[in-house]
Structure formats: C-alpha cells, structure tokens
Amino acid sequence: MSKLLRKISVGVLSLIVAAGVVIPTMNVDAGEANTESGSENVTIYGQAPVKGKYFDYTARLSVTVDKNKKIVSVADDKTDYDGDQNITYWNNVKNGLNGKKGFLEAFNGLDESKIDGVDTITSATFSWNAVKMAIKESFKQLPAKRAAIAKINAYVPSKNIDQNVIKTAKKNCIMAINQERNIANLDKIVNDAIKEIDNGKVVEKPEEEQIEDDGDLYPYTLDQAIAAVPSDLSIFTDDSVKALEEVKKEAEMIKADSSKSEVARTKMARKLKTALSKLVLKDGIYKYTGNVRFSTFRMVSMNIIAKDGKMSVVAYLPGKGQYLIYMGSAFDAEVAEKAGKDNLMIKPLFEGTNPEGKQAYAFEYPLPHLEKTFDLAQRASSKWFHRIPVFYSANIVKTDKMDDSLAAPYQKLNDEAIVKSFEEKVKAIGEITTETAKAINEAQAFFDNLTEAQKDLAKEVKKILDQKAAALDKLLNEPSFDIKYDENANKKFENEFGKDGLVIDANKTKGLVLYAKDANFDKFVSVNVDGKTLDKKYYKIEKGSIKLTLTSEYLKTLKSGTHKLRLNTTAGFGEFSFNVRAQNPGQAVPPANNGKAATQSGKVKENDNAAVIKQVKNEGSINTGDGIEFIIYTISLIGACAAISAMLKRRAR
C-alpha cells in the first residue's frame, strides 16, 4: 500500500471514530450462529497426560479458535489433579507463578503450526509440555466441528417453518456443538436440531410471502402492535414520538382496509413495533410495571433511569443467589469468564432489603432498547443462566424518584461517585503557582453545585481546597522572596546609596543590578515597573538565583521620584523600590493598579497581578511618552526666542 493510500485510510478511520460511528465487528468470545458458514468462533477440547516421577494426571483444556484457525483463548477445562499434591504445579500453569498471569495467554493469536514454538516454562516443564500437547490434540476436533456448524447453517426445511423457530434452533445447535467434548456426538446434535426445525410451526404462505425475521419483535399481529402503543407518549422525546405517530397512522389505515392480506398486516405490525422500539425516553426516573416476559428472569422493584438518550435498569433480585450479570448469552458469559474478562461482568451495586423483605443484591445494567428482546446472562452458583428479557414501552410510568427500597442506597452511591470526582479535581490542582487560579475556581464551582448531603461528604476535601485557595491568595498578593541590590556592581554603574535607599542619577547611570537569592530562575515570568510590564530589550536576567540588570537606556525614560519594581515568577513575586533624580521632565508613569486579590465565597479572583504575569509574552515594549513634554518645551522656547529677537529688531530700527 502506498503512503498516500495509508494516510487516506487512517484519515477515514479517524473520522469514523471521531463521529462516534459503531463499526460492527465479529464477537471473538462466542460461537454465535452466523449466516456465513465458518465465520463463527469454535470451541474445541484437548487433553494430555502430565507424568513425572511423583505425579501422574491428565490436563484438560478448552481452546477457542476464530475463523482463521487462530487461537482466541485457552482455558482450563476441569483438569483432574488426582490429589492435592499436583494442584500447585497445575496452578502455576493456569494462574501463573507468584500470581503472575499470562502463561495460557501466550498462545493467543497463534495458529496450530506455532504451538511448539512457545517457550517452555522451566519451573513447570511437565505441565507446560502437556499444555502444548493438549492444544494440538484439540485441533483434531476443528474440522468436524466446522463441518457440523456449516451443516446446520446451510439447512433449509422443505416446509415454510416459522423463521423464529429456525433461528432459535440453529443458535442453540451451534452453542451445543461448541460445548460438546466428544465429536462422535456432533451428528446427533445437528440431527436433533434439524428435527426441531422440521417440527416447528408451519407458516401456510407461499415462499415469496414469507416475512423476514427482524430481531425478535413482540407481538406480531397488527391489532396487538396498535394496542402496544403507550397511551402517554409525553415521556418520550418529540422526534421519536413523531416518527412513531406517522407509522401508527399508516397502520390504522391498513387495519381498516379489508383488502389487505394477512402478510401485509403482519409486515405493518413489524414496522409499527420497530418504530416502538426506537422510542427514546426523556431524561428522568421511571417505574417499570409488569414482568419482562419470562418468569425465569424476575427482578423486584424495577426503575429505569434515562439520561442523554441512554437507559439503564436499577432493580433488586429476589435474593442473593445470583451475583453477576453479563450482557450477552450464557455461552458468551462463560467464554468471557474463562478468558479472565472480569471488566465485562456487572457486579452488584449494593446489598439491601428488597420490597419482599428479603436480603438481596441490587444491580444496574444497560437497557439497549424497548420492545425487542436482548440477551442477558445471570451467574448463580457455578453456572451461567441465559435470559431473554423484553421491556414494553406501555409498562413505563414517569415518577419523581426511585422506589423507596432503592432510593437511599442508590443516592448514596451516586453521591460518593460525585464526591470522588470533586476529590480528583482538587488533586489535579497540584503545586500552587500563579497559573492555578483557574483550576481552583473550577473546583470551587464544582463544590458550590453539590447538594447539601454531597457537601457534607466532601467537607474534608473542601478543607484541602480552601488551603490551596489561601496559598494562592498569598502567592498573588504577598512577596515570596526578597530583592536586593548588588552594591559593588551599582557603584560601578555610578548609582548612589543614601538615607532614602538606592538613588539613581538618570543622566549618569550605566544600569541597575539587582538579585533575588531565593527566586527560581526556571520559573521567571516578567519584570514590572510601576505596574507596567517591561519589554525584554530593557533588561537581562542571569542565574544566581535570578540576577536582574535594567539597562541605562530604560532608566533614562523614568521621571524623578520613587519607582517600584516587581519581579514575577510562577512561584511568587518580589518587590524593590528605588529613587531617580536629576531626570529631564517627562510624563508621569501611571501608578500600578495591583491591589490585593479579592476573595468571594472562597473563590480566588485572578487579579491584575496574575493577569500581568500570564500576559507577559503578549506584551510589547513600553511607551511612556516622557519625551513628548520635552519636545513641547523645546518648541515653546524656540518660539519665545524668535519673538524676542523680532521685538529687538523693531526697536533698533
């Protein structure tokens, strides 16, 4: 590929990601049925003996392989240790030495030909060699399992069987193929699935009138679909309601038209239910009434929380028997668990007393859509159970708050999360410098928007913020280091020292030398005199810690009197006053307007001092205008002399 094409490809991909487009990808963790034979992941099983002088047992592994015959994951498959004496050695392979994971993961991404190339672990030689043998043994199952999956995917019944029956039977068949350890049973699994399909509900319609499966939408009849439209649509967004009402109007017209076929009515029902599934709840808290289709999936006291177009369910379980949730099938969950993908498991929010008076776990999990089924797995004991819930829009009721049994613990968790965010903001402030005023003000604003309960939880963090704000206020308004003059250097520059301190004769001076012993040279920002930022051409700085020299050129622009110099760093500032005498008349330098920083409600105000410090790089040279008065005086004097000369000439005549 040329460099140009690569750049174009990367650019297009970046735009897609930036736009939030979800690119469909193959599920690498599960053997889900697909329309294309051979595109699924396949789980295969192998075993090998682990023999040594003091041990003899069999290692058993499950291996997930993708369509390219590359290993996705390797997991222990209930290896029989044959006594406790072998468990340590096998755990070294399964879990890693000293708790370090990664041994079995070493095979991920490899094909069969590269298995022997993985380095043997010295401390577990016998076990590790058995792992390699078991993986290679498992690959012997792959052709048979691929053939079985291809057979069921390709099967087309002779009769017009309900498409949902076909879909469910094929999906369950592929799941069973992946779970089967004995390939001799594969034919029976496939044949049983074919029988299940053939014995399914026959749709007495011509082939050309078959209704394409659309993702398990319920119910299917037109009357049921119209009746499923909620009476209160005010809880949904205007755009989604508008789209639904347009389809509903069309559905009612078809219902009233007796000439329309049953197929047309069913298709219209599907269309209406699809529009229902695209309803979007407005931000808020809702109560879900009724069941979620199956009695095997029961949750107590269900609330739906909608925010920014996304929905989640918060509810208690009937008890504590089920302790994990996975968004996907039970097979998907099992594969993910074996692969160590704990981040995909939804853990309980908290434990409490549910409305039935039982100690139970409460969960929060995403609700991908309404009206359509979705896969969900629940972990109980040592097994994953597959659930297929569906939430109906007509069963959703707006409420002001969550159910009483959920509200308090859920709010506490929410408060703790918000306070944690506040804590992170305060931590992020870091070292106090002249540039931290913005971060402190943002953290203060965050705190001001908390509820009283949240403020109470955050009171210790608020103390830290107040300390930082006080430190910044001091940094901006109190000198943090002293500035002194170099007496020897200033004598050479013909500056004098008197009762009023350092005195500079602007007509004689060769410059002014000052130093700030406790200032950090690397944090230098700018120099101000009488509130004005100096152009860099009027001074130079050197290390030591900061040595500052004002040029004689600049000093000659100053009027007679006392002048206040300020040396600014990001870690604070220092001040120094000096006197100028014998200066030609000039325009007065405006006094510095740099009073102390105000504090209001704990907020640090970025005062003029801070603004000067931050803007130093954008400041230009100073134009005091002092030379203008001199020019005016000179012109006036010349004019007066000319007038006197003219008068004398007239008298002489």
Side-chain angles (χ1 to χ4, degrees):
M1 186 182 291
S2 68
K3 289 184 180 179
L4 179 60
L5 287 174
R6 283 199 296 270
K7 289 181 180 180
I8 293 172
S9 300
V10 171
V12 172
L13 183 59
S14 300
L15 289 172
I16 293 172
V17 173
V21 177
V22 179
I23 304 172
T25 59
M26 184 185 72
N27 186 349
V28 298
D29 298 321
E32 292 285 352
N34 247 312
T35 56
E36 295 182 8
S37 174
S39 63
E40 306 92 345
N41 287 348
V42 177
T43 301
I44 49 182
Y45 302 86
Q47 60 184 46
V50 185
K51 288 187 177 182
K53 186 177 180 179
Y54 302 106
F55 50 88
D56 186 358
Y57 64 98
T58 302
R60 295 183 175 88
L61 298 173
S62 66
V63 183
T64 302
V65 182
D66 67 16
K67 65 179 181 179
N68 298 316
K69 299 182 180 180
K70 290 186 177 182
I71 296 172
V72 175
S73 63
V74 180
D76 177 46
D77 185 40
K78 302 177 181 178
T79 295
D80 183 4
Y81 312 115
D82 191 26
D84 293 337
Q85 68 272 20
N86 298 317
I87 193 170
T88 301
Y89 297 96
W90 184 245
N91 280 340
N92 288 343
V93 172
K94 187 172 69 170
N95 303 322
L97 289 169
N98 301 319
K100 184 180 179 182
K101 294 184 178 180
F103 289 175
L104 295 183
E105 287 87 345
F107 298 94
N108 292 355
L110 304 181
D111 57 31
E112 186 180 5
S113 65
K114 296 180 181 177
I115 294 171
D116 284 332
V118 177
D119 292 336
T120 298
I121 302 168
T122 305
S123 56
T125 304
F126 293 93
S127 303
W128 194 238
N129 286 332
V131 167
K132 293 181 179 180
M133 292 172 61
I135 294 174
K136 288 193 290 183
E137 184 69 18
S138 71
F139 270 82
K140 294 179 180 180
Q141 293 186 348
L142 188 59
K145 288 204 168 187
R146 283 285 185 215
I149 293 173
K151 184 177 179 180
I152 192 61
N153 272 336
Y155 182 71
V156 179
S158 58
K159 299 178 181 179
N160 297 320
I161 304 297
D162 188 314
Q163 291 295 311
N164 290 299
V165 172
I166 297 174
K167 176 185 176 181
T168 301
K170 288 186 175 183
K171 184 176 181 179
N172 291 337
C173 179
I174 292 174
M175 188 182 302
I177 290 171
N178 277 293
Q179 294 175 341
E180 181 57 49
R181 290 163 174 80
N182 187 355
I183 60 174
N185 296 328
L186 296 183
D187 286 341
K188 184 178 184 304
I189 293 172
V190 174
N191 291 333
D192 287 347
I194 290 173
K195 289 178 182 179
E196 183 180 348
I197 293 171
D198 291 341
N199 293 330
K201 181 182 178 181
V202 178
V203 182
E204 299 296 338
K205 303 295 177 194
E207 185 66 29
E208 62 270 18
E209 289 190 343
Q210 286 295 298
I211 301 169
E212 186 179 350
D213 178 64
D214 60 0
D216 220 10
L217 292 163
Y218 296 89
Y220 289 116
T221 70
L222 184 56
D223 287 346
Q224 289 174 317
I226 293 174
V229 177
S231 57
D232 181 15
L233 292 172
S234 65
I235 63 177
F236 303 99
T237 61
D238 294 342
D239 289 343
S240 64
V241 169
K242 182 180 178 181
L244 172 66
E245 288 179 333
E246 290 176 356
V247 178
K248 183 185 177 184
K249 184 177 180 180
E250 182 184 354
E252 289 173 338
M253 291 175 61
I254 290 180
K255 178 184 176 182
D257 189 348
S258 59
S259 67
K260 295 295 183 181
S261 68
E262 193 60 30
V263 170
R265 293 173 183 273
T266 304
K267 287 184 175 180
M268 189 67 241
R270 297 284 187 91
K271 185 176 180 180
L272 180 56
K273 291 295 286 181
T274 299
L276 275 167
S277 72
K278 294 181 180 179
L279 282 173
V280 179
L281 285 168
K282 295 177 180 177
D283 287 2
I285 301 173
Y286 301 85
K287 173 71 176 176
Y288 189 80
T289 61
N291 61 50
V292 289
R293 187 180 175 203
F294 295 122
S295 61
T296 54
F297 178 67
R298 192 168 75 88
M299 304 198 88
V300 183
S301 186
M302 289 187 289
N303 286 123
I304 297 176
I305 299 176
K307 188 176 182 180
D308 300 331
K310 296 182 179 180
M311 300 177 292
S312 63
V313 178
V314 180
Y316 274 112
L317 292 178
K320 295 170 60 179
Q322 297 168 334
Y323 54 91
L324 287 176
I325 287 178
Y326 179 88
M327 299 305 293
S329 70
F331 180 77
D332 293 346
E334 185 179 349
V335 172
E337 187 177 50
K338 287 182 178 179
K341 297 184 177 181
D342 294 340
N343 60 307
L344 300 180
M345 310 299 166
I346 300 174
K347 299 176 178 61
L349 277 179
F350 51 82
E351 178 186 339
T353 305
N354 68 18
E356 297 176 346
K358 296 181 179 179
Q359 283 296 110
Y361 290 130
F363 283 85
E364 182 173 13
Y365 60 91
L367 176 57
H369 43 244
L370 304 173
E371 307 294 337
K372 294 173 64 175
T373 62
F374 58 94
D375 291 323
L376 182 146
Q378 291 177 299
R379 186 79 149 89
S381 183
S382 59
K383 186 177 179 181
W384 285 97
F385 294 88
H386 195 179
R387 313 299 190 200
I388 312 175
V390 56
F391 286 74
Y392 299 102
S393 54
N395 292 345
I396 299 174
V397 180
K398 184 73 170 69
T399 183
D400 293 329
K401 62 176 184 176
M402 301 180 70
D403 290 359
D404 292 341
S405 60
L406 291 166
Y410 187 83
Q411 186 60 52
K412 184 182 178 183
L413 285 175
N414 185 61
D415 289 346
E416 289 172 351
I418 291 173
V419 170
K420 184 67 176 178
S421 297
F422 172 62
E423 184 179 356
E424 293 300 321
K425 278 187 170 293
V426 174
K427 284 183 179 179
I429 293 172
E431 181 185 1
I432 301 299
T433 71
T434 56
E435 298 173 345
T436 55
K438 182 179 179 182
I440 290 176
N441 286 340
E442 287 178 352
Q444 181 62 50
F446 191 98
F447 179 84
D448 292 341
N449 289 325
L450 299 180
T451 66
E452 291 304 315
Q454 292 165 354
K455 286 180 179 178
D456 188 59
L457 287 173
K459 58 186 178 182
E460 294 302 318
V461 183
K462 180 61 166 58
K463 290 180 181 179
I464 298 173
L465 176 61
D466 290 342
Q467 291 171 358
K468 291 179 178 290
L472 177 62
D473 186 71
K474 182 179 180 181
L475 187 69
L476 293 176
N477 297 289
E478 297 181 19
S480 43
F481 54 84
D482 294 327
I483 300 177
K484 298 182 179 181
Y485 57 84
D486 187 329
E487 188 168 348
N488 293 327
N490 281 297
K491 283 182 178 179
K492 292 179 181 178
F493 282 8
E494 300 185 22
N495 301 321
E496 299 177 6
F497 307 96
K499 64 179 182 178
D500 297 326
L502 183 65
V503 180
I504 296 171
D505 187 330
N507 296 321
K508 296 180 180 179
T509 187
K510 297 178 182 177
L512 172 61
V513 182
L514 305 171
Y515 66 91
K517 182 180 179 182
D518 298 325
N520 190 327
F521 180 86
D522 296 328
K523 295 182 179 181
F524 170 80
V525 177
S526 65
V527 178
N528 296 358
V529 175
D530 300 333
K532 297 284 188 176
T533 303
L534 266 63
D535 192 300
K536 292 181 180 179
K537 68 181 181 181
Y538 291 128
Y539 68 88
K540 71 175 182 177
I541 60 169
E542 303 169 82
K543 286 189 176 181
S545 296
I546 296 180
K547 182 181 178 182
L548 169 69
T549 304
L550 298 183
T551 66
S552 61
E553 179 187 6
Y554 170 70
L555 294 173
K556 289 177 182 179
T557 67
L558 299 176
K559 63 175 287 187
S560 297
T562 301
H563 297 273
K564 192 173 191 178
L565 179 144
R566 173 165 164 157
L567 194 155
N568 301 303
T569 74
T570 58
F573 69 93
E575 292 181 329
F576 182 84
S577 296
F578 62 95
N579 296 292
V580 174
R581 69 182 182 186
Q583 171 64 11
N584 292 323
Q587 184 178 345
V589 177
N593 184 21
N594 54 1
K596 291 189 179 291
T599 56
Q600 301 178 1
S601 303
K603 293 183 178 180
V604 179
K605 183 178 179 181
E606 295 184 73
N607 64 2
D608 295 334
N609 293 339
V612 168
I613 292 172
K614 290 181 179 181
Q615 297 171 6
V616 63
K617 293 184 180 179
N618 297 323
E619 294 286 348
S621 60
I622 299 174
N623 183 7
T624 63
D626 292 342
I628 296 176
E629 290 187 11
F630 176 78
I631 294 171
I632 292 172
Y633 292 149
T634 301
I635 293 172
S636 300
L637 181 62
I638 293 172
C641 290
I644 293 171
S645 176
M647 182 180 68
L648 291 174
K649 285 182 179 180
R650 284 196 297 273
R651 287 182 177 182
R653 291 191 186 104

